[in-house]
Amino acid sequence: MIEAIFYARFDQEQGPVVLHQSPSHSIVPPTNTPHDSTVTTGTPQQPILDFSAISAYIIPPQEFCDRLVSVVTNGYRVLGHPVCITDEKYPRNEFIFNFVLVIAETEDFEKYERLVRKLAELGREVESRDGWLSRDEEVCETAERAPVTNRMATLDMVDSHSSTASAPVSRSGSKDAESNSSASEEDDNSNAEAGEDGDEDASQRFSDLIASAAAKEQTKGFQNATDERGSRVSALIEMLMQDLNSYGECLIPIDSSTTLDTKLFPTLHAPPPVKPEHVPLPAVRPLSRLTDSSWDMTLMQILPYIDGINSVSQIAQLADADLKLTRIAIAHLVYYGAVILMDIFHFGAVYAPTDKIRRLLLDTKLLDECARFSRKGESGGKQERRPVSGEDRYRMVELYTNLKHGVALRSWMVENWSKLQDLDVRRLVTIGLVNGLLTRIHRYPVLMSSAASSNGATAMPSEAIQVTNTNGKDSGSKKKPKKEQGPMRTRDLRFAPYLDGLHSLDRICTDLQIPEKQALEELKRWSDVIIVHR
């Protein structure tokens, strides 16, 4: 969410100054804003940051202009893109300005960077073409000295020296408003008549925001320079902030040939690598409702087989699609949040609670969601759901906390069989993994030989691991493996590339297309192989 937007410029007498800001007085207080054109209603709010502390970054020297600036201060991130236009018509032969956004420090700011650059390009374009920004300042300065009844007429007189331009129009205001006529020299004979014509012309040229502010001024009288004076730049930043915070997009005409059209797109991070043993779980059901005729052919081909049970390798086989293309297609679904990657579920797997398990004691809604999702035969319709009792909640916490390292899921089911009569174990584990309450403990076969060690098999992460030999017993001692008695059992050399400690047992079973039980039996023939649990 955008906390504030302001327009700053370098003044040859005062240095960096804030000319316009939204909300009113959110950046500088009214006593320090001689050019501020926001409307004051009630008690002015206190500035959310100290502009004097960051003014050197907002309006930097010419050498540091035309690049993105990001400053963190007082819990806010200030994003700007200062622009310097060099021309002899300006004082000191340069015009430096900056449209600046203020957001929370913790918010993802990547989606706002493109908006800041677009505002900088827009300001450079309209100012270089017809002096749109500098003429707006002339209007404000003239309005400070002009009577209230002649203010709108003065605006028309300034515009008559250049091409007529339509005012910014917000989504919340009149969208088709545009400049219809310029003030006539004959209207100068009567100030009252000019004021009436100016008021009528302003209602067509400006948004409802400007018109309402002008109406308040006529009844309340001109008080100080911080009141609304019909500035187009002020209207632009207010409309921009309202539309982006309300709709995430805006379409604001600047003049007859320029329009500000932008939209805030969420920043999506690159998906994790999709492995053949991963199981894509649909986050949207059915996935077919997301499709259209422009989707990739491979994606359309594999979509019916994404059910939360089939692995990526199985999906490619069932859909008769190339495995590499299938992985790329599923990576696109993960990128847009349509599916979630899970591990293969089987009853020989080991699961353990994470540190997030405490959320079950603090978040009753999460606990109820897990209890409902885990029930057998519950379709999810609200009319079919029975309420979750305190006994159900206690049972869910107990079942999750009973999962631990070294205990296979089938052993856990035997110990808690009486508590699982009306629950689907697959769904119970799945909802725990999705919410981060559980983690899967993988098994990695490691060949304890000099060749394997030189390939990096011993360079494993320094985390809690459990080591067992292929017979399932702890192998914590440093004794050398005993030599096999009798004839040498034949080893399946297909396992050799996977015994480096980097390939899990799930990956081995998926690539070799064998069940886990057979894989463990084959590994027993390798007397110098241990299995690391992590």
Side-chain angles (χ1 to χ4, degrees):
M1 179 179 176
I2 301 177
E3 303 294 338
I5 302 179
F6 65 94
Y7 169 72
R9 193 182 72 79
F10 179 81
D11 186 88
Q12 60 178 343
E13 297 179 356
Q14 305 179 42
V17 293
V18 175
L19 301 185
H20 309 292
Q21 54 187 318
S22 178
S24 174
H25 310 137
S26 57
I27 307 301
V28 289
T31 55
N32 296 333
T33 55
H35 298 285
D36 185 16
S37 63
T38 52
V39 182
T40 303
T41 56
T43 304
Q45 67 180 52
Q46 294 297 321
I48 61 178
L49 52 86
D50 183 7
F51 176 74
S52 60
I54 61 173
S55 60
Y57 305 100
I58 302 303
I59 305 294
Q62 181 178 353
E63 296 78 9
F64 297 97
C65 290
D66 299 312
R67 64 188 67 192
L68 187 68
V69 175
S70 177
V71 182
V72 176
T73 177
N74 197 30
Y76 295 95
R77 183 178 298 276
V78 183
L79 291 174
H81 195 285
V83 176
C84 178
I85 302 177
T86 304
D87 197 301
E88 296 180 355
K89 67 180 180 180
Y90 300 116
R92 301 189 182 183
N93 298 329
E94 61 182 17
F95 184 83
I96 303 178
F97 67 92
N98 197 354
F99 285 96
V100 186
L101 272 64
V102 181
I103 60 176
E105 179 183 355
T106 57
E107 187 171 357
D108 186 9
F109 62 92
E110 293 183 12
K111 62 181 179 180
Y112 296 105
E113 291 180 353
R114 180 164 51 175
L115 172 62
V116 171
R117 290 190 176 95
K118 178 173 285 191
L119 288 174
E121 294 173 1
L122 175 70
R124 178 187 293 275
E125 178 184 352
V126 296
E127 175 62 25
S128 300
R129 186 177 63 238
D130 55 7
W132 194 81
L133 296 174
S134 55
R135 285 193 300 108
D136 185 82
E137 295 182 28
E138 295 177 6
V139 172
C140 296
E141 293 175 357
T142 305
E144 291 178 0
R145 299 188 298 268
V148 176
T149 55
N150 290 340
R151 191 166 305 156
M152 295 303 175
T154 303
L155 175 63
D156 289 341
M157 292 172 63
V158 173
D159 287 345
S160 63
H161 297 289
S162 61
S163 59
T164 303
S166 59
V169 180
S170 171
R171 177 190 303 273
S172 58
S174 55
K175 297 184 177 181
D176 296 327
E178 59 181 11
S179 176
N180 296 324
S181 61
S182 60
S184 175
E185 297 181 358
E186 298 178 0
D187 293 336
D188 295 336
N189 297 330
S190 174
N191 289 341
E193 183 179 356
E196 295 176 359
D197 293 342
D199 292 342
E200 181 179 358
D201 185 55
S203 64
Q204 298 177 1
R205 292 165 58 94
F206 297 103
S207 66
D208 293 341
L209 182 65
I210 298 295
S212 62
K216 289 181 181 179
E217 277 191 353
Q218 290 184 1
T219 57
K220 156 182 184 179
F222 179 71
Q223 295 179 351
N224 52 55
T226 62
D227 284 343
E228 180 59 61
R229 297 152 301 159
S231 168
R232 292 190 178 93
V233 179
S234 176
L236 172 64
I237 63 174
E238 289 202 43
M239 297 167 193
L240 183 65
M241 180 173 176
Q242 291 177 4
D243 287 357
L244 292 180
N245 283 341
S246 300
Y247 310 102
E249 58 181 324
C250 68
L251 178 62
I252 304 177
I254 303 300
D255 54 29
S256 57
S257 60
T258 308
T259 301
L260 175 59
D261 185 5
T262 187
K263 183 175 182 178
L264 295 178
F265 292 95
T267 303
L268 301 178
H269 300 284
V274 179
K275 302 178 181 178
E277 68 270 22
H278 279 154
V279 176
L281 176 69
V284 179
R285 292 183 182 272
L287 284 173
S288 56
R289 74 179 186 178
L290 302 176
T291 62
D292 56 42
S293 57
S294 63
W295 274 39
D296 180 73
M297 293 179 61
T298 303
L299 195 55
M300 297 290 291
Q301 192 173 350
I302 68 174
L303 213 58
Y305 304 101
I306 300 178
D307 56 1
I309 299 176
N310 296 324
S311 65
V312 174
S313 178
Q314 291 173 329
I315 291 173
Q317 294 177 8
L318 293 173
D320 193 19
D322 181 71
L323 178 59
K324 182 178 179 180
L325 296 178
T326 301
R327 293 172 62 182
I328 295 175
I330 294 179
H332 278 77
L333 294 177
V334 175
Y335 180 77
Y336 290 106
V339 300
I340 303 172
L341 292 180
M342 308 283 292
D343 293 309
I344 295 177
F345 175 86
H346 56 85
F347 294 101
V350 178
Y351 299 92
T354 66
D355 56 352
K356 294 183 180 180
I357 194 69
R358 68 187 70 176
R359 292 175 54 196
L360 290 178
L361 303 177
L362 305 175
D363 192 345
T364 306
K365 292 183 179 180
L366 175 62
L367 186 57
D368 293 350
E369 178 188 357
C370 294
R372 293 193 185 97
F373 187 83
S374 303
R375 289 172 180 167
K376 291 181 179 179
E378 189 155 310
S379 62
K382 293 184 178 180
Q383 69 279 5
E384 300 179 8
R385 291 182 178 179
R386 60 180 176 86
V388 179
S389 63
E391 183 180 355
D392 294 333
R393 297 189 182 101
Y394 177 80
R395 179 177 57 166
M396 292 298 299
V397 174
E398 187 177 14
L399 288 173
Y400 278 131
T401 53
N402 284 343
L403 290 165
K404 54 187 176 181
H405 288 260
V407 178
L409 189 62
R410 63 169 63 94
S411 302
W412 171 83
M413 291 178 62
V414 173
E415 296 175 1
N416 300 274
W417 183 252
S418 59
K419 304 172 186 177
L420 298 170
Q421 296 302 312
D422 61 337
L423 298 180
D424 187 325
V425 177
R426 179 191 292 272
R427 294 170 67 89
L428 184 144
V429 172
T430 299
I431 191 66
L433 292 171
V434 169
N435 288 285
L437 306 176
L438 300 178
T439 183
R440 169 78 184 280
I441 307 301
H442 290 277
R443 289 172 285 184
Y444 294 84
V446 182
L447 180 62
M448 301 301 293
S449 65
S450 58
S453 299
S454 63
N455 291 333
T458 59
M460 306 192 69
S462 57
E463 48 184 303
I465 60 176
Q466 178 183 359
V467 180
T468 61
N469 58 23
T470 53
N471 294 322
K473 299 180 181 179
D474 291 341
S475 58
S477 64
K478 298 182 179 180
K479 295 181 179 180
K480 296 181 180 180
K482 295 181 179 180
K483 296 183 179 180
E484 296 183 357
Q485 303 296 332
M488 179 71 176
R489 291 186 294 177
T490 304
R491 296 179 175 183
D492 191 344
L493 297 180
R494 295 183 301 168
F495 284 80
Y498 300 98
L499 303 181
D500 57 357
L502 303 177
H503 296 82
S504 67
L505 196 59
D506 285 350
R507 178 63 179 272
I508 296 174
C509 294
T510 300
D511 289 355
L512 302 182
Q513 298 183 7
I514 58 176
E516 181 184 292
K517 184 178 180 179
Q518 180 181 346
L520 291 174
E521 291 294 331
E522 293 291 342
L523 288 173
K524 288 180 181 179
R525 301 184 181 183
W526 298 72
S527 58
D528 50 355
V529 168
I530 63 172
I531 296 180
V532 178
H533 299 253
R534 59 183 177 92

